[in-house]
Amino acid sequence: MRASMILFLCLPITAGAQTAPSAAEIAAYDGLHAAAQSGDVSTIRALLTKGAAPDARDPAGRTPAHVAAFASHDAALRALAAAGADMNALEDDRYDVLTIAAVADDPEMVSLALELGNRPDLITSVYDGTALIAAAHLGHHDVVRRLIAGGAPLDHVNNLGWTALIEAVILGDGGPDHVQTVRYLVEAGADVTIPDRDGVTPLQHAKSRQYQKMVDIIAAAVN
């Protein structure tokens, strides 16, 4: 068995390592964190006007912007950003707003985060990945499309030795969502020749899994 496959079998789901606020944490929130969780824009603005710190941290290192992202409150995120909240802040698990939205398959928040200055090339998670790698892993193809349009790096290699394209193949199920993800990446110019640490290319991975639609897309780019 290849070393990369052994590593894969020993890993948790890489993009699923985010930890949203628990019920107990939410119950303990006050101030901006509570307002962000509930999407209460009026209270957010009032608290900020009174001098509340837009980048205050909860015990897990989440800012109100992180909380708004987990709760999918676009207007709350916009209000926080308007007051100077750091859109590129990382919480304790090293996730930013953009990657939180990407994993949640929240395309509108992904676009909003990019609009508000969240960098698409930010290195996130313990795997030194990106929002694009996380979205590709999960087959969130609309998110992938928006991240590509927003300038996300196509060929970043995380500390597992995997690109977004490799993750879409080896961590995907070969179904239509992951096929469309592969199509968007390849059409955008992702380098289909970058192999994993064992020298196995995305095309070879797709062939070994008998993901014929992926094989066709990637092979056309190789040729």
Side-chain angles (χ1 to χ4, degrees), residues 24-55:
E25 287 174 314
I26 291 170
Y29 279 159
D30 59 11
L32 282 178
H33 284 88
Q37 175 64 38
S38 64
D40 188 342
V41 175
S42 296
T43 298
I44 288 173
R45 289 174 176 159
L47 290 169
L48 291 167
T49 298
K50 293 177 182 178
D55 293 321

Side-chain angles (χ1 to χ4, degrees), residues 83-222:
D86 181 2
M87 291 299 299
N88 295 293
L90 301 178
E91 40 90 270
D92 286 354
D93 289 328
R94 294 179 54 196
Y95 288 104
D96 61 335
V97 166
L98 188 61
T99 311
I100 290 168
V103 169
D105 200 10
D106 191 341
E108 295 303 322
M109 181 160 281
V110 164
S111 292
L112 177 60
L114 291 168
E115 174 193 333
L116 296 176
N118 205 153
R119 288 171 40 204
D121 62 344
L122 203 63
I123 305 303
T124 66
S125 86
V126 298
Y127 301 101
D128 292 336
T130 62
L132 182 63
I133 289 178
H137 162 195
L138 295 166
H140 294 166
H141 55 81
D142 192 14
V143 168
V144 166
R145 178 180 63 83
R146 294 182 189 222
L147 287 169
I148 291 171
L154 298 175
D155 299 320
H156 176 78
V157 179
N158 64 18
N159 62 20
L160 302 175
W162 297 337
T163 62
L165 182 57
I166 287 177
E167 289 222 0
V169 177
I170 68 175
L171 298 182
D173 60 6
D177 291 337
H178 285 95
V179 168
Q180 186 62 51
T181 294
V182 167
R183 181 175 290 110
Y184 281 145
L185 289 167
V186 172
E187 289 178 350
D191 187 342
V192 300
T193 68
I194 297 175
D196 64 17
R197 288 175 177 166
D198 294 320
V200 184
T201 67
L203 180 57
Q204 291 170 322
H205 278 298
K207 286 181 176 179
S208 71
R209 288 162 174 76
Q210 300 183 338
Y211 293 164
Q212 190 58 47
K213 291 183 178 179
M214 290 184 178
V215 169
D216 293 343
I217 295 167
I218 299 169
V222 172

